[in-house]
Amino acid sequence: MKSLKQALAEFDLEEIKRRAAERASSLSSTPKTEPADDLSKYRCIKCKDDEFVLIRNESGTDIAVPCECRKERAAERLMRSSRITQEFQSKRFNNFVQEGRPLQVIDALKAACNYVKDVDDKGVPNRSIALLGRPGSGKTHLLMAISNYLLAKSVQVLYFPFVEGFNEIKGNLDTLESRIFQLQQADVLFIDDLFKGRKEITDFVIEQVFAIINYRYLEKKPTLISSEKTIAGLCEIDEGIGSRINEMCRDYRVILTGGIELNYRLQ
């Protein structure tokens, strides 16, 4: 049996070194090719999802300009941040049923349509709007139609369903300050079913609602409000809140009074 020393002697170490050097040289001299870009993984092939593309100006300098897909993506981000559910995203003016509806409901539709025309140079509404009164009369549909219209115009809207929203706040009081700040600061805020609920409204809820409404009242920030309460009913809960809403929505305020015939869901 060969000893380890004899076995190693049979290998030409210099030859091994020479071949290794040739192999390294061959690898370094072979140009590397980048793998072909899989365009199927991009939503937008033009910008490869960067939302910007490079174009060369007259002086020969490459500059970045927004891609055509950027506006659509911005609208999608606004919709996600709005907290509007997929079901409510389908609520539009053109699918609001008018046939057989009471005159008060048609008045609410006209007010909502006029509201979206009263905007500033950035497309943000100049006023607030309140649709108040009977359940099932189309208040949420019409205010959601306004919201979806504004979102399509790249205006920020934040949806706050009153019952679910306050359940969420009370379930995590650590976020109370940041959540109220978010509701105060939204470009447009939609409060749906204000003071809805069978339980007695607590001082805590009244205090937070006042903080939201008062801030938006002072800053003249547009607010969309639906409620089964009338202005008088809101004032019974808190006159400061009710009177501010009354003034904020003076130009666009419809109170739907009457009987069960206003409830479209029962037809």
Side-chain angles (χ1 to χ4, degrees), residues 180-199:
I180 297 301
F181 180 80
Q182 181 187 37
L183 296 170
Q184 291 173 331
Q185 296 293 325
D187 289 348
V188 179
L189 175 65
F190 176 10
I191 304 176
D192 195 15
D193 273 330
L194 177 62
F195 292 133
K196 174 83 172 180
R198 293 181 175 85
K199 295 181 180 179

Side-chain angles (χ1 to χ4, degrees), residues 126-151:
N126 288 303
R127 304 285 188 276
S128 295
I129 181 171
L131 301 181
L132 311 173
R134 293 292 304 186
S137 54
K139 303 185 300 294
T140 294
H141 186 134
L142 291 174
L143 295 182
M144 195 59 71
I146 292 174
S147 300
N148 289 325
Y149 175 90
L150 294 174
L151 285 163

Side-chain angles (χ1 to χ4, degrees), residues 49-194:
D49 295 343
D50 288 333
E51 298 186 26
F52 286 91
V53 292
L54 291 176
I55 63 169
R56 185 156 295 179
N57 61 19
E58 296 178 354
S59 62
T61 304
D62 288 338
I63 59 172
V65 297
C67 182
E68 295 171 356
C69 72
R70 184 172 174 79
K71 185 175 181 180
E72 178 183 351
R73 289 170 183 259
E76 290 174 356
R77 285 192 289 269
L78 281 173
M79 181 61 76
R80 286 194 297 270
S81 67
S82 72
R83 297 196 169 200
I84 294 175
T85 64
Q86 188 170 0
E87 179 186 357
F88 277 173
Q89 290 175 26
S90 65
K91 303 296 185 185
R92 311 282 175 177
F93 290 115
N94 60 10
N95 59 20
F96 183 81
V97 177
Q98 301 181 51
E99 186 177 355
R101 305 294 286 273
L103 181 59
Q104 294 179 70
V105 175
I106 303 304
D107 288 342
L109 171 60
K110 290 177 181 177
C113 290
N114 289 332
Y115 181 79
V116 297
K117 299 174 184 176
D118 184 8
V119 297
D120 62 19
D121 55 359
K122 295 182 180 178
V124 178
N126 288 303
R127 304 285 188 276
S128 295
I129 181 171
L131 301 181
L132 311 173
R134 293 292 304 186
S137 54
K139 303 185 300 294
T140 294
H141 186 134
L142 291 174
L143 295 182
M144 195 59 71
I146 292 174
S147 300
N148 289 325
Y149 175 90
L150 294 174
L151 285 163
K153 299 293 184 181
S154 299
V155 177
Q156 180 207 33
V157 180
L158 181 60
Y159 176 57
F160 184 73
F162 181 80
V163 175
E164 296 86 345
F166 268 101
N167 285 340
E168 176 189 327
I169 288 173
K170 288 185 285 188
N172 187 3
L173 290 175
D174 291 340
T175 64
L176 172 62
E177 185 176 344
S178 61
R179 187 74 170 115
I180 297 301
F181 180 80
Q182 181 187 37
L183 296 170
Q184 291 173 331
Q185 296 293 325
D187 289 348
V188 179
L189 175 65
F190 176 10
I191 304 176
D192 195 15
D193 273 330
L194 177 62

Side-chain angles (χ1 to χ4, degrees), residues 25 30 74 157 196 207 224 229:
S25 176
T30 302
V157 180
K196 174 83 172 180
E207 181 181 344
L224 321 178
K229 310 289 184 184

